[in-house]
Amino acid sequence: MGFREDFAWGTATSSYQIEGAVKGEGKGEHIWDVYTKEPGHVFEDHTGETACDHYHRYPEDVKIMKEMGLKAYRFSIDWTRVLPDGYGRVNEKGIAFYNALIDELLDNGIEPYITLYHWELPYEIYKQGGWMNPKIVEWFGEYAKLVAERFSDRVTHYFTVNEPQCFVGLGFLRGEHAPGLKSPLRDTFEMAHNVMKAHGQAVRMLRQYGRQPLVIGYAPTCGMVYPETEKPEDIEAARQAMFALQPDNSNWTWNVSWWSDPVLLGHYPEEGLKRYEPYLPKITEEDMKLISEPIDVYGQNIYNGRCVRMGADGKPEDVKRYAGFPKTAINWPVTPEVLYWGPKFLYERYQKPIYITENGISCHDVISLDGKVHDPNRMDFLARYLHELKRAASEIDLRGYFQWSLMDNFEWAEGYAQRFGLVYVDFRNQQRILKDSAYWYRDVIRENGNNL
Ligand code: FCB
């Protein structure tokens, strides 16, 4: 056993991180457009104004995808490129761009997977309270309806929101991402509730206006947890820790259960309802019904995690990392086990087919004297992670894997300082160079992972 025959081997990107063309094409502004204009927020004040210029170079990029043998490609739509204010007026130029991209992908035998929200809150909506304004649920639904009407004759796979943990946590609680706010806890819980309602509303709209039956999912993230040994008590410790809340409220958004239990199980975790009680908005039965509108698949972005064992007191206990533990260029630990235990625990709890919607590594890649980009660390990382994923694929319903990222791009607050791509982008001249790992991944795809 191993990966299913129709396993979706893909790569992922997001609109602001690659598209560029922020001006002159009828696009509205979103919070990242505005945030990056103000110096001091992003590494060396980089912005996504040009990024990978994918808006103009998408035919070349799809050609590269084809050369890599990708079966699938996950990209996001910039809400403000199609609805400049977030609602109302439609920008036909934006629709035409995504239509052309979709057609190009299909012509090359690559299945498009659309993410609706990869952090680009329309500035117009932000001015009206953003995720705090209950109307955002309708507005996001309107956006999903437009997407369904315009693209779902050809695109069947959708993810609603990407990493709510991150955009609420980093954007509105810790002030490290756009719009750079440190909001009171109460506000962030209300936003989170509205995010999940907006997700539910989008699911309803996609179903109602889809031009054919659609496969709809959600794409949260979080650090995963894996056991030190495969003794039942350590596995149980990892399972408990994986769905536990953060000990520290100032970092509350980093958990799996608060964001996924409502969507998949129809209720918030009991422990959280008690602990967060002073900060919670009014939660109605109708809200929970909307939030748990049935979805078809579960996506999870997985980069790393921590190791636990069962402690003598019957509680999970962290296993300290040894000195010199492997880490990536962005200083994230290398923990391949998460691609086995993560999907396995998620599948057990939520009983939905799983997609790994993102996974990858940043490296200090350079163009070598021979004109190529050699990235042994990335190949080693992917080999280790995919090996674990293969084990999971034999045990659970695993549908696809999207490597982050197709090409080097604008890495949020890190600007262009982090390179996550399988394809190197020279940002001086937009030249693309397939890294060694791109060819390596092509071979994995060709063998459907049997060579892992
Ligand atoms: C995830 C984001 C993605 C990218 C990767 C490295 O948190 O979804 O946009 O930044 O991390």
Side-chain angles (χ1 to χ4, degrees):
M1 282 263 293
F3 297 99
R4 45 192 287 157
E5 275 308 305
D6 61 351
F7 192 75
W9 291 103
T11 61
T13 62
S14 87
S15 32
Y16 187 64
Q17 293 182 275
I18 64 165
E19 284 178 3
V22 302
K23 289 191 198 117
E25 298 293 326
K27 184 183 118 54
E29 284 193 316
H30 54 61
I31 54 173
W32 276 95
D33 288 316
V34 176
Y35 183 73
T36 51
K37 273 189 211 162
E38 211 176 273
H41 291 312
V42 173
F43 175 78
E44 291 185 355
D45 297 332
H46 295 167
T47 78
E49 214 175 315
T50 307
C52 308
D53 195 30
H54 174 72
Y55 186 85
H56 298 110
R57 294 169 193 263
Y58 71 89
E60 179 188 350
D61 293 335
V62 175
K63 215 162 136 208
I64 291 172
M65 292 183 217
K66 166 117 175 167
E67 192 181 340
M68 284 165 56
L70 297 188
K71 307 259 188 248
Y73 174 56
R74 171 179 176 240
F75 64 96
S76 72
I77 292 184
D78 175 348
W79 187 350
T80 63
R81 202 179 276 294
V82 295
L83 286 166
D85 301 319
Y87 54 83
R89 188 166 58 91
V90 174
N91 175 33
E92 291 298 336
K93 264 191 162 174
I95 300 273
F97 164 67
Y98 292 112
N99 268 328
L101 171 63
I102 291 164
D103 290 342
E104 194 78 17
L105 289 165
L106 292 172
D107 284 349
N108 285 284
I110 300 162
E111 188 75 36
Y113 284 65
I114 289 180
T115 304
L116 292 181
Y117 187 83
H118 204 122
W119 309 357
E120 290 135 353
L121 182 63
Y123 199 62
E124 189 51 44
I125 290 184
Y126 174 66
K127 284 191 291 185
Q128 296 179 52
W131 289 109
M132 289 291 282
N133 186 337
K135 279 201 216 139
I136 196 164
V137 176
E138 289 306 314
W139 289 330
F140 194 61
E142 179 183 335
Y143 166 46
K145 172 174 180 267
L146 177 70
V147 167
E149 286 171 343
R150 301 302 190 92
F151 307 127
S152 72
D153 55 329
R154 286 152 296 145
V155 181
T156 50
H157 289 77
Y158 295 85
F159 294 103
T160 54
V161 294
N162 180 71
E163 300 195 347
Q165 286 87 349
C166 230
F167 72 79
V168 174
L170 295 178
F172 294 92
L173 180 61
R174 302 179 72 83
E176 295 166 21
H177 276 186
L181 297 187
K182 291 188 178 153
S183 314
L185 284 182
R186 272 183 95 100
D187 289 6
T188 59
F189 279 100
E190 192 164 334
M191 288 181 211
H193 193 59
N194 287 336
V195 167
M196 287 186 262
K197 283 170 72 177
H199 152 85
Q201 182 69 11
V203 177
R204 281 189 187 164
M205 292 293 121
L206 287 169
R207 290 241 192 271
Q208 191 176 337
Y209 294 94
R211 313 250 296 258
Q212 53 181 322
L214 303 181
V215 180
I216 306 174
Y218 181 46
T221 187
C222 214
M224 301 280 101
V225 185
Y226 59 96
E228 182 182 35
T229 73
E230 298 205 2
K231 283 191 252 162
E233 57 273 28
D234 285 343
I235 295 176
E236 181 49 27
R239 185 182 288 116
Q240 283 177 21
M242 167 119 159
F243 297 101
L245 306 173
Q246 282 290 336
D248 173 6
N249 281 357
S250 72
N251 210 14
W252 78 262
T253 66
W254 293 108
N255 74 78
V256 176
S257 58
W258 191 261
W259 296 98
S260 291
D261 285 11
V263 170
L264 280 301
L265 306 178
H267 56 77
Y268 280 105
E270 276 305 316
E271 187 199 349
L273 287 174
K274 275 193 218 120
R275 172 122 75 91
Y276 302 142
E277 206 258 337
Y279 313 115
L280 296 182
K282 189 160 168 267
I283 299 170
T284 68
E285 243 175 69
E286 206 186 318
D287 292 349
M288 296 315 293
K289 210 163 156 254
L290 178 61
I291 288 174
S292 59
E293 188 68 35
I295 55 176
D296 308 294
V297 296
Y298 184 93
Q300 180 93 15
N301 296 354
I302 300 181
Y303 287 90
N304 54 61
R306 62 200 168 90
C307 180
V308 303
R309 65 167 81 91
M310 189 59 92
D313 58 357
K315 294 202 184 111
E317 152 186 303
D318 275 350
V319 176
K320 204 169 165 241
R321 294 194 184 115
Y322 58 84
F325 197 88
K327 59 184 173 105
T328 72
I330 200 173
N331 283 329
W332 296 351
V334 177
T335 58
E337 298 89 337
V338 292
L339 272 199
Y340 172 67
W341 293 102
K344 195 172 155 74
F345 287 147
L346 292 167
Y347 186 70
E348 256 177 29
R349 189 173 177 104
Y350 299 125
Q351 298 286 313
K352 288 281 174 200
I354 302 236
Y355 279 92
I356 306 303
T357 30
E358 282 180 28
N359 168 249
I361 173 175
S362 70
C363 300
H364 295 300
D365 301 313
V366 295
I367 306 177
S368 291
L369 284 174
D370 63 5
K372 297 185 178 158
V373 180
H374 304 295
D375 56 344
N377 289 352
R378 182 170 289 101
M379 289 190 283
D380 185 70
F381 176 101
L382 293 175
R384 288 173 192 272
Y385 274 67
L386 287 174
H387 189 74
E388 297 286 334
L389 189 67
K390 189 177 181 183
R391 183 176 170 205
S394 305
E395 297 177 22
I396 64 168
D397 185 351
L398 191 72
R399 300 281 171 93
Y401 168 85
F402 293 92
Q403 186 275 344
W404 182 275
S405 178
L406 170 68
M407 54 187 160
D408 298 336
N409 58 46
F410 176 79
E411 178 49 36
W412 310 113
E414 302 272 334
Y416 300 97
Q418 301 296 338
R419 294 184 176 274
F420 274 91
L422 292 176
V423 176
Y424 184 92
V425 178
D426 186 335
F427 292 101
R428 294 169 302 183
N429 54 22
Q430 291 297 340
Q431 194 197 349
R432 274 85 162 128
I433 302 173
L434 278 75
K435 302 179 190 175
D436 289 353
S437 60
Y439 297 106
W440 177 88
Y441 190 48
R442 177 195 62 190
D443 293 345
V444 169
I445 297 172
R446 193 182 284 155
E447 300 288 322
N448 200 33
N450 288 324
N451 52 348
L452 287 164

